[in-house]
Structure formats: structure tokens, C-alpha cells
Amino acid sequence: MTSQIEEFYASIAVPSNFEETKKQIQKFCERHSNQKIVLVTSGGTTVPLEHNMVRYLDNFSAGSRGSASTEHFLDRGYAVIFLHRLNSFEPFVRHFSGNSILDMLEAKGDDLVVRREWVGAVAPVLQRYRAVRADGRLLSVPFSTLGDYLWLLRAASERLAALGPRALLYLAAAVSDFYIPPADMPVHKMQSDAGPVNISLKMVPKMLGPLVSSWLPRAYVVSFKLETDESLLLQKARRALTTYRHKLVIANLLKTRKERVVLVTADAEQEITVTAEESSSGVEIEAKITAELLLRHEQFIAASAGR
Ligand code: PAZ
């Protein structure tokens, strides 16, 4: 399996900013080496169909889960590496997505100020954002393609390994299971005058295996399992746990993912829900998920110290 993983990495291009990003991650891990650090992955992945990419495969994930969870982890004292797909939701700014910044500002003399009707919404978010910036507790790492994501995931995991049990991995990104190996991909845009195209997709190796067993074996690793068929959800979450032997799988269904998740461990299952009432008063399911994970992660750290 290790050689299959190595072959896979050898076949896909390294992201353009890789060396610089690794240094940033290293510095961040050193700076917060006495704290708890969570790596949150967020958003979907782009799977190129051509080397000079015009077309690609994608998925639905907007990064709501990852960006909201990042804010709640920050509120709970974590330092966060936010590995997210470029142009997906980001912490703090997500609260204003769908609004044009130009509608939120007005000119006053030589200054630009936030319009009065927006102050109530902007001020508290800005305050939290500034506090996080001042502590340097958030490192934002963007990716766009599946390949970039996998290179950055491994690099960040290997650097987080030094934290031992204080590292938490929260793998909320919706990562493609399928790709076209670069060797099988056309260089240029596929031409429609050549007629219909048959595309053969290969399996992306499952990275959770090496991640848990060798990249950072002492960390608290949480993966997500998304299904659309309820009858498969829990059995697949349990199967992931027995296969990869990590700590927890968060199971969710596409349609109800904002209202209900199930935390699945080797010996128990716990449902977390948000009612319509809670939701309309601004309670996010990620607040409840991260509260529960904080408890479990702290118990894990304490138990690891006793070993
Ligand atoms: O990004 P989003 O908020 O729209 O969706 C979140 C999610 C459903 C992608 C996440 O909760 C999840 O289940 N991620 C793992 C998906 C999977 O590979 O099974």
C-alpha cells in the first residue's frame, strides 16, 4: 500500500506554492506547539480532465461545515490550520456571503465607513476576527485541485505529528474518490468535433490509512462520512472506523447535514441535532459538534499523558 501511495504522489504535480506553504505550516506549528491545533479540511476538490484545464469534475461542497467549525474551534481556544478549497466559504467572511461589500460601505468625507444598517452585523464578527488575527491563531491554506489538496494534507499532517495527541484532524472536505491519472489526461482542451468522449476514472488511493498509521499516529483523527441513502450511512461509518482505526467518524446525510449528524466511535454512537427553533435563533450544529469534540479530545490528551 505504501508503494501505491508513493507512486500516486510521484504521478501528480506538486502545488506551485508548496515549499512556501510548508514553511508557513511549520512556523505555525512551532508557534502553537504548546497548544491544541486542529487541521480543518473544507470544501470540495477540482478534478482536472485536461492538463491545460478547461473542464473538471467537482462536487457540491461549499465549505459551510469547515468554515463554521473553524470559527467554533477558534472560540474554544484552538489554533486552526484551515485547509480549504479556494473560493469556498471562509471563517468570518462567510457571514456576509451573498452581500456586496459595495452595498455595505459609504463614503464620509475622505473615509469609507460601514453603513449604519450593517454595523450591528459587522462589528461583533470583526471583533472576533481581529482577536484571532492578533493571536495569530488561524492559518488559511487554500487549494484548488485534488492533487494540491493531497500534497498539502500530507505536508500539514507530517508537521502536526510533532504535537502528538494535541493535534486534532477534522476532515470535513468532500474529496473526490475518482480522478484521471495525469498520464491518461489530454494536454489540451478536449475537442467536440472529435465526437463523444469516454472518460475512464481511476480510484484515488484512500489516504486515511497512511494518515492514521504513519503520518501522525498519535493524533486525534476525526473523519466525515456523507451518504444520500440513510440505510448505508451508519454501516459505512462503522466500516471506515474498523478499516482505518481512527478515533471518530461523523456521519451525515446530504439533505439533513445542517440539522443532524451522528458521532460514531468503536463502541458508541451519539446523535447531535439542531432544532428548527435553534437554527432560526442562530445556533449552528458545528457549535455542538465542536463542543463535544473538545471534551473528547481533552480526555484523549489526558489519557495519552498517562501512557
Ligand atoms: O461543505 P458543506 O458544508 O456543504 O458540506 C459538508 C460535508 C457534507 C462535505 C461534510 O460534512 C462531509 O461529510 N464531508 C465528507 C464527505 C465524504 O467524503 O464522505
Side-chain angles (χ1 to χ4, degrees):
M1 187 62 179
T2 313
S3 64
Q4 197 195 337
I5 301 282
E6 288 313 320
E7 271 170 36
F8 175 82
Y9 274 102
S11 75
I12 55 172
V14 176
S16 53
N17 55 347
F18 193 51
E19 290 308 316
E20 184 50 37
T21 309
K22 275 199 297 190
K23 279 186 205 147
Q24 286 173 359
I25 297 172
Q26 178 70 35
K27 220 166 132 196
F28 187 83
C29 291
E30 281 165 12
R31 177 168 181 186
H32 300 287
S33 61
N34 295 321
Q35 286 169 253
K36 296 186 292 287
I37 304 187
V38 56
L39 171 67
V40 174
T41 71
S42 182
T45 54
T46 299
V47 177
L49 299 185
E50 298 129 341
H51 280 280
N52 289 288
M53 188 181 72
V54 173
R55 300 188 179 92
Y56 51 85
L57 297 177
D58 211 329
N59 63 49
F60 71 95
S61 172
S64 311
R65 173 84 79 222
S67 57
S69 302
T70 293
E71 277 182 37
H72 293 292
F73 278 123
L74 288 164
D75 289 346
R76 298 182 197 293
Y78 279 84
V80 184
I81 300 175
F82 179 59
L83 179 58
H84 65 286
R85 202 262 282 273
L86 198 65
N87 299 329
S88 62
F89 286 130
E90 292 188 42
F92 306 110
V93 281
R94 73 188 172 102
H95 296 281
F96 309 106
S97 70
N99 299 108
S100 165
I101 188 163
L102 299 178
D103 291 330
M104 296 165 69
L105 297 177
E106 65 187 345
K108 277 227 168 111
D110 288 343
D111 291 330
L112 278 179
V113 295
V114 174
R115 293 174 82 97
R116 179 164 295 279
E117 62 268 33
W118 277 102
V119 169
V122 173
V125 177
L126 184 65
Q127 197 179 12
R128 287 165 64 221
Y129 171 73
R130 288 259 179 256
V132 164
R133 282 289 295 242
D135 297 349
R137 275 194 300 120
L138 175 61
L139 178 67
S140 241
V141 179
F143 64 86
S144 52
T145 64
L146 170 75
D148 291 355
Y149 167 79
L150 293 173
W151 276 107
L152 292 165
L153 175 69
R154 183 167 76 170
S157 301
E158 287 174 345
R159 270 141 202 86
L160 279 166
L163 275 96
R166 270 177 294 106
L168 166 62
L169 262 75
Y170 183 83
L171 304 172
V175 181
S176 180
D177 288 325
F178 310 103
Y179 81 123
I180 305 186
D184 300 348
M185 223 189 280
V187 173
H188 293 293
K189 182 186 168 197
M190 284 183 274
Q191 295 299 311
S192 59
D193 50 14
V197 179
N198 286 317
I199 295 174
S200 163
L201 299 171
K202 300 279 182 318
M203 295 300 298
V204 175
K206 300 284 182 202
M207 296 302 173
L208 202 45
L211 183 147
V212 174
S213 63
S214 68
W215 298 349
L216 69 179
R218 293 169 61 221
Y220 194 84
V221 178
V222 177
S223 71
F224 279 76
K225 174 61 71 187
L226 173 80
E227 290 297 337
T228 54
D229 178 349
E230 171 121 50
S231 69
L232 295 178
L233 184 64
L234 292 181
Q235 74 187 58
K236 290 200 71 176
R238 289 183 204 118
R239 197 191 307 160
L241 269 186
T242 43
T243 307
Y244 303 113
R245 310 209 155 273
H246 54 307
K247 301 297 177 287
L248 188 112
V249 177
I250 303 185
N252 55 174
L253 286 170
L254 183 64
K255 281 199 183 134
T256 56
R257 66 190 190 279
K258 296 194 176 167
E259 298 112 52
R260 176 179 177 264
V261 298
V262 182
L263 307 197
V264 181
T265 53
D267 47 17
E269 276 152 31
Q270 178 186 340
E271 188 177 65
I272 294 183
T273 56
V274 162
T275 62
E277 250 182 358
E278 285 176 316
S279 180
S280 57
S281 63
V283 176
E284 295 180 312
I285 195 163
E286 290 80 9
K288 296 190 180 188
I289 298 172
T290 53
E292 182 58 35
L293 287 187
L294 173 68
L295 290 177
R296 292 180 187 222
H297 187 205
E298 286 190 335
Q299 280 165 6
F300 173 74
I301 294 170
S304 306
R307 266 187 230 132

